[in-house]
Each structure stands twice: as C-alpha cells, then as structure tokens.
C-alpha cells in the first residue's frame, strides 16, 4: 500500500501549525510561524506548495524510526520462518511489548500504538483542520496494563502524548469517519509488516496525505534498510527525495534499476515508407 501511495504522489507539540484552510487551499494564518522554525524541520522546498506537509511528514517518520529502533533493542526477537508464511501466535510475543489481535492472528506491538499516537498528535498540532486515519485503536491498550505502560513510555520519550488520556485519545483519533468531498486526510500504517519488525527483518512506516481521495504527499520509512537512505518522501508533481534517519535535508542517492527494468528500448514504430 505504501508503494502505491508513492507512485500516486510522484505521478500526479514539536511542529508549528502550518495547516491550510479548506477554502481555496490558503495557508492557515499561523503558517507564518513555520518560517521562523524552518531550520528544525527537514528541508523540503523541492515539494513546492506541499513543502510544509512534506517536511512535517518526514520529521515525524524520522521520530517513528528512532522509536522502533529503541523498542527493538528490548524485544525478544522471534526466529523468522524462511518462507515468510508463519502465522504468529501467543508463543511468539513478549509480554507487555506485543500481543496477537483477536480474530486475525496478526501481531501488534507497543511501537504500533506509540507511533500512531505520536504521528496523530504531531499532525493534529500542525494541521488541526485535517482528519487522521490510522490502522490501530486503543481497545487493547485499555485492557493490557503492561502494554499501555510501555506504549506511554515510548510516546513520552519520542515526543508523543505524555499522559494516558492523551495517549488513548491520540490512538483513537484514527477512528474518525470520513468527512466527505474535499477533505484532507492523513493515512498511517504505523508498522507495515509487524511480523518483520518482530523478527528483525524488513518493515515499513507508511504515511500519506490525501486530498479529496488523491495522494499528494507520501512518506515511507524503512528502518532496517542497509543499502539506501531509509526514508523516501514524495510530493505530487515534484518527484521523490531520499532522507537519512536524522538528516535535515535530502541526500543524493541514485538507486540501481532492478533486472526487470533493464530491458532494451522498444523498437521504433514503422513508417509509411517501410
């Protein structure tokens, strides 16, 4: 899903408020404040009209990556199934850190909840008029004291809500129903590939901004990426840039083309003379 967000985008308390009003796409009056603190945000002038959104999204994904790395240091890693087809069960989770969702046997960790809370709260602070949609809700946090405690600790450490009520409300912010035509909505998958996170393999943090159902900004963070910068940021009509996990500006990177893309140019169309 994250890859599709980026394809669509390229084809077509920490952050200062930089929201646009719903009418005419004008900046929120407080947007001028972001100019005074721009040095604290990843540079995103290349994203033109979507520069504030691209910068804010890049920063919050950088924080989410650091959160994942911190929790991974404390987790009891599960031995990965080489086929990638293992269904995880209660024996594969660490008490107080992860659990298995009822009904679908998929894992969820404290990092999923903490990332959703910090992203939702940061975006609400920066773009208060925007809707937020996330994968998780706070039901399991309310019933699992140890998981809630660790999630709150991570949230506090990485700039999310600092109290239980704020944490639960931020996670549940993703439950707001669609508002209808013309809405701006941020869509988050806090950890796409939680099994990969729990087994020390690949996973992605995916965040996108949609306006009236169309993606205009997309960010993918891949914490375990070893051969490329771990963050990709795309903006509609402006292409894609790479960022390191702590960089304040895009970094130059030219990805190699996969084998399937290295084909010969198609033959020229025949002319009337031929």
């Amino acid at each position: 899903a994250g890859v599709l967000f980026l394809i669509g985008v390229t084809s077509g308390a920490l952050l200062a408020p930089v929201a646009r009003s719903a009418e005419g796409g004008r900046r929120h009056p407080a947007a001028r404040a972001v100019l005074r603190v721009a040095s604290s945000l990843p540079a995103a002038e290349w994203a033109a009209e979507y520069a504030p959104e691209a910068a804010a999204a890049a920063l919050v994904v950088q924080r989410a990556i650091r959160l994942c790395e911190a929790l991974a240091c404390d987790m009891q890693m599960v031995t990965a199934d080489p086929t990638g087809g293992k269904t995880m069960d209660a024996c594969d989770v660490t008490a107080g850190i992860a659990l298995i969702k009822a009904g679908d046997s998929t894992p969820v960790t404290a990092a999923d909840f903490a990332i959703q809370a910090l992203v939702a709260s940061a975006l609400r602070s920066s773009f208060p008029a925007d809707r937020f949609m996330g994968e998780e809700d706070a039901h399991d946090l309310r019933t699992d004291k140890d998981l809630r405690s660790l999630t709150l600790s991570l949230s506090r450490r990485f700039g999310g809500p600092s109290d239980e009520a704020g944490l639960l409300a931020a996670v549940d912010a993703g439950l707001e129903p669609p508002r209808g035509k013309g809405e701006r909505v941020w869509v988050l998958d806090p950890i796409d590939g939680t099994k990969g996170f729990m087994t020390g393999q690949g996973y992605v943090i995916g965040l996108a901004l949609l306006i009236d159902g169309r993606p205009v900004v997309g960010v993918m963070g891949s914490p375990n990426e070893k051969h490329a910068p771990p963050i990709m940021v795309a903006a509609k009509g402006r292409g894609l840039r790479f960022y390191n996990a702590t960089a304040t500006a895009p970094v130059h990177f030219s990805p190699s083309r996969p084998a399937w893309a290295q084909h010969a140019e198609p033959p020229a169309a025949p002319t009337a003379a031929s």
Side-chain angles (χ1 to χ4, degrees), residues 178-198:
R179 299 174 182 173
K181 185 175 176 59
E183 75 168 350
R184 287 169 46 110
V185 55
W186 292 91
V187 181
L188 172 73
D189 189 338
I191 298 182
D192 184 4
T194 302
K195 184 166 70 172
F197 173 57
M198 295 175 67

Side-chain angles (χ1 to χ4, degrees), residues 219-240:
V219 182
M220 290 177 64
S222 181
N224 286 348
E225 175 58 56
K226 304 301 182 186
H227 305 293
I231 298 174
M232 296 180 289
V233 182
K236 180 182 178 181
R238 307 301 297 184
L240 177 148

Side-chain angles (χ1 to χ4, degrees), residues 2-26:
V3 173
L4 293 179
F5 275 136
L6 287 181
I7 291 174
V9 168
T10 54
S11 64
L14 178 60
L15 304 177
V18 292
R20 304 175 194 274
S21 69
E23 300 81 18
R26 293 170 296 159

Side-chain angles (χ1 to χ4, degrees), residues 75-89 91-94 195-201:
M75 285 182 63
Q76 172 186 323
M77 288 295 174
V78 180
T79 302
D81 178 359
T83 68
K86 179 182 186 300
T87 299
M88 302 190 79
D89 55 39
C91 296
D92 294 323
V93 301
T94 305
K195 184 166 70 172
F197 173 57
M198 295 175 67
T199 58
Q201 299 188 80

Side-chain angles (χ1 to χ4, degrees), residues 60 63-64 67 113-123 155 158-161 170:
V60 77
R63 291 162 59 193
L67 187 155
F113 294 115
I115 289 172
Q116 183 153 318
L118 77 86
V119 171
S121 60
L123 294 177
S155 177
F158 292 95

